């Protein structure tokens, strides 16, 4: 496998792929994990970058700290919809809050916004962009997803993502 980074789905058939990914950067999305269910722990603790939603978490910061404490992750990102996201890195040790991006139009369907966020974030990270910029790219992609119906009919393209990021930076 030539990939430098692999995003692992939390489907059961992917549970044992981590040993084949040694030496590669690995991310996963735990979706709406409650912070307790054992099913998600293999994925949470074996990935370098972990995404999850705050939707089912009573204490997102505690869940994020638990992932860092028990696993190999260097970064945990917890999305919170219109409230933006939380980011915890092993280096910083403090949970940082980031705002959501402004919606570019009226809400049509929020389904898929979390996946879009992950895609935008990974786009920035894998191109060597700083954490803050990767978060902003994720937020822009997630906001875009909320303004279109369905989950794959009209994803944000690279040119529009970068144009919106540039417009929001200045």
């Amino acid at each position: 496998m030539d990939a430098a980074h692999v995003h692992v789905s939390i489907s059961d058939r992917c549970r044992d792929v981590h040993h084949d990914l040694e030496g590669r950067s690995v991310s996963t999305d735990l979706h709406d994990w409650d912070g307790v269910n054992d099913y998600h722990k293999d994925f949470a603790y074996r990935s370098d970058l972990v995404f999850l939603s705050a939707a089912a978490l009573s204490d997102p910061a505690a869940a994020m700290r638990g992932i860092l404490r028990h696993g190999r992750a260097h970064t945990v990102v917890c999305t919170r919809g219109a409230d933006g996201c939380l980011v915890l890195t092993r280096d910083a040790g403090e949970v940082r809050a980031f705002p959501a991006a402004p919606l570019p139009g009226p809400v049509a369907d929020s389904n898929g916004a979390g996946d879009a966020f992950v895609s935008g974030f990974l786009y920035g990270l894998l191109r060597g962009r700083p954490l803050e910029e990767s978060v902003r790219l994720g937020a822009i992609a997630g906001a875009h997803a909320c303004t279109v119906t369905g989950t794959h009919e009209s994803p944000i393209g690279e040119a529009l993502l970068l144009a919106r990021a540039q417009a929001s930076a200045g």
Side-chain angles (χ1 to χ4, degrees), residues 56-158:
L57 295 172
S58 60
D59 187 348
M64 296 167 75
R65 287 186 184 96
I67 291 169
L68 286 186
R69 184 172 48 255
H70 297 293
R72 74 180 210 191
H74 57 73
T75 304
V76 181
V77 180
C78 183
T79 58
R80 302 182 304 157
D83 292 327
C85 72
L86 302 173
V87 177
L88 178 62
T89 64
R90 194 171 292 281
D91 295 340
E94 286 186 30
V95 175
R96 296 173 57 194
F98 291 87
L103 295 174
V107 173
D109 182 359
S110 64
N111 195 18
D115 291 331
F117 177 94
V118 169
S119 296
F121 186 101
L122 288 174
Y123 174 90
L125 185 76
L126 296 174
R127 282 164 179 72
R129 308 258 174 115
L131 175 71
E132 296 79 5
E133 188 175 347
S134 296
V135 168
R136 189 170 80 237
L137 290 167
I140 291 167
H144 174 84
C146 291
T147 64
V148 297
T149 56
T151 58
H152 61 278
E153 287 78 5
S154 185
I156 193 168
E158 181 180 25

Side-chain angles (χ1 to χ4, degrees), residues 21-95:
L21 301 175
E22 290 298 321
R24 290 173 184 81
S25 172
V26 177
S27 61
T28 195
D29 186 348
L30 305 178
H31 301 285
D32 60 351
W33 182 42
D34 62 5
V36 179
N37 187 329
D38 286 337
Y39 179 89
H40 298 75
K41 290 181 180 177
D42 286 338
F43 301 98
Y45 301 158
R46 293 179 182 168
S47 298
D48 303 298
L49 172 58
V50 177
F51 296 92
L52 71 160
S53 166
L57 295 172
S58 60
D59 187 348
M64 296 167 75
R65 287 186 184 96
I67 291 169
L68 286 186
R69 184 172 48 255
H70 297 293
R72 74 180 210 191
H74 57 73
T75 304
V76 181
V77 180
C78 183
T79 58
R80 302 182 304 157
D83 292 327
C85 72
L86 302 173
V87 177
L88 178 62
T89 64
R90 194 171 292 281
D91 295 340
E94 286 186 30
V95 175

